[in-house]
């Protein structure tokens, strides 16, 4: 399984871009927990901590597609690095000013969230040029990307707690964002990033959202995000009755491990047929695997069921990347990927918000029922929009980098 990923990473620029993107996204992956820990250390209430983290998340959801469109228009270096610097300065402002002034604290986290650079979408726009435009390699890179995300979101919270222990919550905020800027810098000074140019685009105020196929996909992944967000809350409720924080840690680790195994397995082989059809199958399996969580068995069985619930997550996300690439209007690929990040993130926030009342009204099983409902809703959206998704927006399977393949051709497959 690992051989295919190793072959990709030996390609010139590939390892640097993947690692640089992951490091550059570290502040975003750790922001919620870092903000909460900092606010509590400053004497702020849990309500303020949660509100500041939510404000960051909303600002991030707004900023990603806007900055993604700017990247498509003006190139990666002109947008990604300035955005990373401004975002980091927002967090430094929070660390220095504290939470004594709520207005200043909110302004700081909104700036940090709004200007978070769209490195995730930018990397996916670079893969076709870096990998020589070979479809099977690009698809495998998307799977590797999904696996790497699981690793980052597992390691990120551990780094926050380590930095807090070594320095302080304020020091952790500053250090994580400084590291993030270095990651963004590593990406934007690379040859593929500097050479990449978006395809010519039709001037339209809706940008990527004028694609009906993309809208269908975004609707489905809003509900996938809802399911995932609800599991984090339902998991807390389960742990409260079955052993406390240690059990919660095992459940979340199992969910990540399942996604990691699923992503590695998915990327280990080539897949025939239309990715839209494959995505329906993957989301159906994802929805089915959420159902047993409502049984709420003992900790050992529950950990196994949580791992199973994660198995099809990374493959579904990797397949969604391919579908985005096929349906994004010409010249909007970074923006389109950024919209996927936004819809998934907003869905997760909604799932978190809904799962809490569900647990209070119907117990832990009802909280996991939100996840089941989210998975089912995602499948319904994909089934209802089959014809829309079958009508590909463009006539090629790997999009987003025609200009890059020529300009970057960059030794792309020469590694």
């Amino acid at each position: 399984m690992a051989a295919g990923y190793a072959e990709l990473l030996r390609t010139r620029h590939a390892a640097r871009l993947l690692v640089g993107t992951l490091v550059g996204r570290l502040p975003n992956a750790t922001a919620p927990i870092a903000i909460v820990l900092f606010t509590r250390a400053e004497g702020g209430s849990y309500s303020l901590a949660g509100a500041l983290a939510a404000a960051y998340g909303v600002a991030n959801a707004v900023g990603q597609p806007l900055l993604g469109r700017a990247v498509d228009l003006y190139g990666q270096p002109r947008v990604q690095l300035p955005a990373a610097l401004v975002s980091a300065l927002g967090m430094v402002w929070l660390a220095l000013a504290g939470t004594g002034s709520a207005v200043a604290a909110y302004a700081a986290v909104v700036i940090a969230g709004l200007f978070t650079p769209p490195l995730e979408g930018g990397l996916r726009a670079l893969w076709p040029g870096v990998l020589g435009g070979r479809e099977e390699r690009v698809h495998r890179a998307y799977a590797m990307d999904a696996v790497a995300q699981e690793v980052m979101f597992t390691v990120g919270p551990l780094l926050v707690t380590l930095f807090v222990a070594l320095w302080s919550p304020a020091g952790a905020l500053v250090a994580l964002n400084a590291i993030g800027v270095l990651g963004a810098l590593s990406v934007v000074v690379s040859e593929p990033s500097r050479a990449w140019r978006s395809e010519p685009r039709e001037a339209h105020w809706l940008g990527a959202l004028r694609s009906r196929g993309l809208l269908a996909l975004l609707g489905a992944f809003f509900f996938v995000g809802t399911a995932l967000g609800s599991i984090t809350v339902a998991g807390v409720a389960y742990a409260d009755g079955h052993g406390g924080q240690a059990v919660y840690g095992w459940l979340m680790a199992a969910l990540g491990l399942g996604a990691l195994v699923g992503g590695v397995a998915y990327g280990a082989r080539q897949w025939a047929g239309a990715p839209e059809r494959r995505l329906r199958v993957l989301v159906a399996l994802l929805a089915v695997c959420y159902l047993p969580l409502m049984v709420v068995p003992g900790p050992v069985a529950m950990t196994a069921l949580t791992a199973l619930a994660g198995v099809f997550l990374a493959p579904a996300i990797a397949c969604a990347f391919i579908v985005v690439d096929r349906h994004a209007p010409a010249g909007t690929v970074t923006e389109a990927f950024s919209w996927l990040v936004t819809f998934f993130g907003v869905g997760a926030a909604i799932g978190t918000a809904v799962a809490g009342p569900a647990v209070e009204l119907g117990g832990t099983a009802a909280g996991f029922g939100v996840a089941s409902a989210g998975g089912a809703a995602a499948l319904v959206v994909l089934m209802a929009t089959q014809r829309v998704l079958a009508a590909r927006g463009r006539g090629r399977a790997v999009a987003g980098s025609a200009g890059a393949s020529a300009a970057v051709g960059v030794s792309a497959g020469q590694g």
Side-chain angles (χ1 to χ4, degrees):
M1 288 184 180
Y5 291 147
E7 184 266 334
L8 288 181
L9 292 174
R10 284 194 296 269
T11 302
R12 188 181 177 193
H13 303 298
R16 172 181 177 174
L17 290 172
L18 179 64
V19 173
T21 297
L22 291 175
V23 172
R25 293 181 57 216
L26 189 61
N28 181 237
T30 58
I33 186 172
I35 290 171
V36 169
L37 291 176
F38 174 77
T39 303
R40 291 296 294 153
E42 290 286 302
S45 66
Y46 282 110
S47 295
L48 178 61
L52 287 174
Y56 174 90
V58 171
N60 181 255
V62 172
Q64 286 295 291
L66 295 178
L67 290 171
R69 181 176 296 193
V71 167
D72 287 327
L73 290 172
Y74 304 113
Q76 294 196 1
R78 291 184 180 182
V79 177
Q80 304 275 40
L81 185 57
L85 288 169
V86 173
S87 179
L89 288 174
M91 282 301 195
V92 170
W93 179 16
L94 177 66
L96 295 177
T99 59
S101 168
V103 173
Y106 278 110
V109 298
V110 166
I111 289 172
L114 191 64
F115 286 93
T116 298
L119 293 167
E120 189 174 353
L123 175 64
R124 287 162 204 153
L126 292 176
W127 280 134
V130 171
L131 299 176
R134 289 170 54 186
E135 185 173 348
E136 73 282 358
R137 300 184 82 207
V138 174
H139 292 181
R140 181 167 292 165
Y142 288 160
M144 179 175 67
D145 193 355
V147 169
Q149 283 189 67
E150 297 302 324
V151 174
M152 182 187 67
F153 280 97
T154 300
V155 172
L158 298 177
L159 285 179
V160 176
T161 55
L162 175 62
F163 287 175
V164 168
L166 291 175
W167 300 304
S168 66
L173 276 177
V174 174
L176 289 166
N177 280 273
I179 292 171
V181 170
L182 293 177
L185 179 64
S186 174
V187 171
V188 300
V189 299
S190 68
E191 187 179 354
S193 181
R194 287 184 288 110
W196 182 83
R197 295 294 181 273
S198 179
E199 296 176 294
R201 59 185 285 150
E202 175 189 346
H204 197 290
W205 70 276
L206 279 175
L209 294 183
R210 68 182 183 273
S211 165
R212 295 176 63 201
L214 180 62
L215 288 174
L217 179 69
L218 296 179
F221 269 76
F222 169 86
F223 289 112
V224 173
T226 300
L228 192 61
S230 67
I231 288 176
T232 62
V233 175
V236 172
Y238 177 87
D240 285 344
H242 293 80
Q245 291 184 352
V247 172
Y248 180 71
W250 279 108
L251 293 182
M252 294 302 101
L255 187 68
L257 177 63
L260 185 65
V261 171
V264 170
Y266 178 80
R269 56 161 292 181
Q270 296 182 20
W271 297 90
E276 291 84 358
R277 185 181 304 113
R278 185 162 67 250
L279 181 62
R280 287 195 294 273
V281 174
L282 290 170
V283 171
L285 292 170
L286 189 65
V288 167
C289 289
Y290 286 148
L291 288 172
L293 296 175
M294 297 176 64
V295 176
V296 195
V300 174
M302 192 65 179
T303 300
L305 290 178
T306 306
L308 180 63
V311 167
F312 295 101
L313 179 61
I317 292 173
C319 192
F321 296 160
I322 301 170
V323 177
V324 169
D325 214 4
R326 287 159 62 93
H327 288 271
T332 69
V333 65
T334 309
E335 179 189 345
F337 279 124
S338 298
W339 275 118
L340 183 64
V341 173
T342 289
F343 271 70
F344 189 87
V346 172
I350 296 296
T352 301
V354 172
V359 168
E360 292 177 357
L361 292 172
T364 302
F368 286 115
V370 176
S372 298
L379 179 59
V380 168
V381 171
L382 291 177
M383 296 298 292
T385 57
Q386 287 186 62
R387 290 187 178 181
V388 171
L389 286 167
R392 277 173 45 184
R394 288 177 288 174
R396 57 201 174 102
V398 176
S401 249
S405 295
V408 181
V410 217
S411 50
Q414 294 176 14

